Protein backbone atom coordinates (compact mmCIF):
# COMPACT_ATOMS: atom_id res chain seq x y z
CA UNK A 1 0.00 0.00 0.00
CA UNK A 2 1.38 3.39 -0.98
CA UNK A 3 1.22 6.46 1.32
CA UNK A 4 -1.22 8.31 -0.96
CA UNK A 5 -3.57 5.31 -0.99
CA UNK A 6 -3.40 5.15 2.81
CA UNK A 7 -4.13 8.87 3.16
CA UNK A 8 -7.11 8.56 0.78
CA UNK A 9 -8.56 5.59 2.70
CA UNK A 10 -10.29 7.82 5.25
CA UNK A 11 -8.46 6.44 8.28
CA UNK A 12 -9.85 8.19 11.38
CA UNK A 13 -7.50 10.66 13.01
CA UNK A 14 -6.17 10.03 16.48
CA UNK A 15 -7.49 12.72 18.82
CA UNK A 16 -4.28 12.80 20.83
CA UNK A 17 -1.54 10.79 19.10
CA UNK A 18 1.17 11.82 21.58
CA UNK A 19 -0.85 10.41 24.49
CA UNK A 20 -1.64 7.15 22.65
CA UNK A 21 1.96 6.62 21.50
CA UNK A 22 3.40 7.47 24.92
CA UNK A 23 0.93 5.13 26.64
CA UNK A 24 1.64 2.21 24.31
CA UNK A 25 5.39 2.80 24.60
CA UNK A 26 5.23 2.81 28.40
CA UNK A 27 3.07 -0.32 28.48
CA UNK A 28 5.01 -2.44 25.95
CA UNK A 29 8.57 -0.99 25.93
CA UNK A 30 9.12 -1.98 22.27
CA UNK A 31 12.48 -2.70 20.73
CA UNK A 32 13.05 -2.58 16.95
CA UNK A 33 11.06 -5.16 14.97
CA UNK A 34 8.23 -5.03 17.52
CA UNK A 35 4.65 -4.36 16.48
CA UNK A 36 1.95 -3.21 18.88
CA UNK A 37 -1.66 -3.58 17.82
CA UNK A 38 -4.08 -1.53 19.91
CA UNK A 39 -7.86 -1.37 19.94
CA UNK A 40 -9.49 1.93 20.79
CA UNK A 41 -13.10 2.24 21.93
CA UNK A 42 -15.60 4.76 20.54
CA UNK A 43 -14.19 7.34 22.98
CA UNK A 44 -10.63 6.81 21.63
CA UNK A 45 -9.56 5.16 24.89
CA UNK A 46 -7.42 2.06 24.83
CA UNK A 47 -9.52 -1.11 25.15
CA UNK A 48 -6.82 -3.69 24.50
CA UNK A 49 -3.31 -4.05 23.11
CA UNK A 50 -0.75 -6.70 22.33
CA UNK A 51 2.86 -6.60 21.21
CA UNK A 52 4.80 -9.14 19.20
CA UNK A 53 8.07 -9.43 17.31
CA UNK A 54 7.99 -9.70 13.56
CA UNK A 55 11.08 -11.86 13.07
CA UNK A 56 13.79 -11.27 10.51
CA UNK A 57 12.17 -12.72 7.39
CA UNK A 58 11.56 -10.34 4.49
CA UNK A 59 8.36 -8.26 4.93
CA UNK A 60 5.21 -10.08 3.85
CA UNK A 61 1.78 -8.47 4.13
CA UNK A 62 -0.05 -11.81 4.39
CA UNK A 63 2.09 -12.93 7.32
CA UNK A 64 1.70 -9.54 8.97
CA UNK A 65 -2.08 -9.73 8.52
CA UNK A 66 -2.22 -13.21 10.05
CA UNK A 67 -0.05 -12.12 12.99
CA UNK A 68 -2.30 -9.09 13.60
CA UNK A 69 -5.44 -11.24 13.45
CA UNK A 70 -3.92 -13.72 15.87
CA UNK A 71 -3.16 -10.93 18.36
CA UNK A 72 -6.58 -9.31 17.93
CA UNK A 73 -8.31 -12.64 18.58
CA UNK A 74 -6.30 -13.04 21.78
CA UNK A 75 -7.15 -9.66 23.27
CA UNK A 76 -10.65 -8.70 22.07
CA UNK A 77 -13.74 -10.39 20.58
CA UNK A 78 -14.63 -9.57 16.97
CA UNK A 79 -17.31 -7.03 16.05
CA UNK A 80 -18.53 -8.80 12.91
CA UNK A 81 -22.19 -8.82 14.01
CA UNK A 82 -22.37 -5.05 14.24
CA UNK A 83 -23.73 -3.13 11.27
CA UNK A 84 -20.96 -0.59 11.59
CA UNK A 85 -17.68 -0.95 13.49
CA UNK A 86 -17.50 0.96 16.76
CA UNK A 87 -13.94 0.10 17.77
CA UNK A 88 -10.78 1.04 15.92
CA UNK A 89 -7.54 -0.90 15.63
CA UNK A 90 -4.25 0.91 15.15
CA UNK A 91 -0.68 -0.25 14.80
CA UNK A 92 2.55 1.09 16.28
CA UNK A 93 5.61 -0.43 14.63
CA UNK A 94 9.05 0.07 16.17
CA UNK A 95 11.93 -0.08 13.70
CA UNK A 96 15.41 1.17 13.04
CA UNK A 97 16.22 3.55 10.21
CA UNK A 98 14.70 6.77 9.02
CA UNK A 99 11.14 7.88 9.64
CA UNK A 100 10.22 8.03 5.94
CA UNK A 101 7.78 5.49 4.49
CA UNK A 102 9.23 2.12 3.42
CA UNK A 103 7.87 -0.86 1.51
CA UNK A 104 7.68 -2.67 4.84
CA UNK A 105 5.37 0.09 6.10
CA UNK A 106 3.19 -0.50 3.05
CA UNK A 107 2.95 -4.20 3.93
CA UNK A 108 1.96 -3.33 7.52
CA UNK A 109 -0.65 -0.82 6.32
CA UNK A 110 -2.24 -3.39 4.02
CA UNK A 111 -2.13 -6.00 6.78
CA UNK A 112 -3.78 -3.66 9.30
CA UNK A 113 -6.55 -2.70 6.89
CA UNK A 114 -7.28 -6.33 6.00
CA UNK A 115 -7.10 -7.59 9.59
CA UNK A 116 -9.54 -4.87 10.68
CA UNK A 117 -12.01 -5.88 7.99
CA UNK A 118 -11.77 -9.54 8.99
CA UNK A 119 -12.19 -8.74 12.71
CA UNK A 120 -15.02 -6.21 12.27
CA UNK A 121 -13.01 -3.17 13.35
CA UNK A 122 -12.40 0.23 11.80
CA UNK A 123 -8.91 0.61 10.44
CA UNK A 124 -7.04 3.22 12.43
CA UNK A 125 -3.68 4.91 12.41
CA UNK A 126 -0.37 3.39 11.40
CA UNK A 127 2.46 4.82 13.50
CA UNK A 128 6.18 4.13 13.24
CA UNK A 129 8.61 4.55 16.10
CA UNK A 130 12.23 5.11 15.06
CA UNK A 131 15.33 6.43 16.84
CA UNK A 132 14.27 9.94 15.74
CA UNK A 133 10.78 9.65 17.31
CA UNK A 134 7.27 8.69 16.21
CA UNK A 135 5.29 9.47 13.09
CA UNK A 136 1.61 8.95 12.21
CA UNK A 137 1.62 8.04 8.53
CA UNK A 138 -0.98 9.74 6.38
CA UNK A 139 -1.49 12.53 8.92
CA UNK A 140 2.12 13.70 9.06
CA UNK A 141 1.90 14.28 12.81
CA UNK A 142 5.07 13.39 14.68
CA UNK A 143 7.08 13.86 17.84
CA UNK A 144 10.59 13.25 19.14
CA UNK A 145 9.59 11.39 22.30
CA UNK A 146 9.20 8.56 22.81
CA UNK A 147 11.75 7.17 20.38
CA UNK A 148 12.95 3.67 19.55
CA UNK A 149 15.73 2.29 21.72
CA UNK A 150 18.39 0.62 19.65
CA UNK A 151 19.86 -2.52 21.21
CA UNK A 152 20.39 -3.13 24.90
CA UNK A 153 18.21 -4.94 27.41
CA UNK A 154 14.73 -3.84 28.33
CA UNK A 155 14.62 -1.71 31.50
Amino acid sequence: MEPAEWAAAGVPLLRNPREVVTGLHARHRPLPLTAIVAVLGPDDRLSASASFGRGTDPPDGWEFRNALLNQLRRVIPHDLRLRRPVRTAMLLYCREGEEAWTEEDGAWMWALRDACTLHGLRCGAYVTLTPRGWRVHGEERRGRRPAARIGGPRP
Side-chain angles (χ1 to χ4, degrees), residues 30-148:
L31 293 172
L33 300 180
T34 301
I36 302 170
V37 63
V39 179
L40 307 174
D43 57 358
D44 261 1
R45 290 193 169 188
L46 184 65
S47 298
S49 65
S51 61
F52 58 98
R54 88 150 182 89
T56 57
D57 295 334
D60 180 286
W62 292 97
E63 289 180 20
F64 292 170
R65 192 264 327 251
N66 292 340
L68 287 170
L69 273 173
N70 183 44
Q71 297 301 319
L72 287 169
R73 288 176 182 138
R74 282 188 38 232
V75 298
I76 202 154
H78 67 74
D79 284 346
L80 294 170
R81 291 194 175 117
L82 299 177
R83 287 181 184 222
R84 193 174 331 162
V86 295
R87 295 185 288 190
T88 304
M90 63 159 291
L91 182 66
L92 175 72
Y93 181 58
C94 182
R95 63 176 167 80
E96 296 177 342
E98 294 299 316
E99 62 182 30
W101 180 87
T102 66
E103 285 188 31
E104 181 180 15
D105 294 328
W108 277 116
M109 291 169 166
W110 178 87
L112 177 62
R113 186 177 67 178
D114 207 47
C116 288
T117 299
L118 294 171
H119 205 68
L121 302 168
R122 286 190 315 169
C123 181
Y126 174 70
V127 182
T128 52
L129 187 67
T130 66
R132 299 187 88 186
W134 56 270
R135 176 182 178 192
V136 182
H137 291 266
E139 297 180 34
E140 301 313 318
R141 292 194 280 176
R142 61 188 60 170
R144 284 185 251 163
R145 289 198 171 84

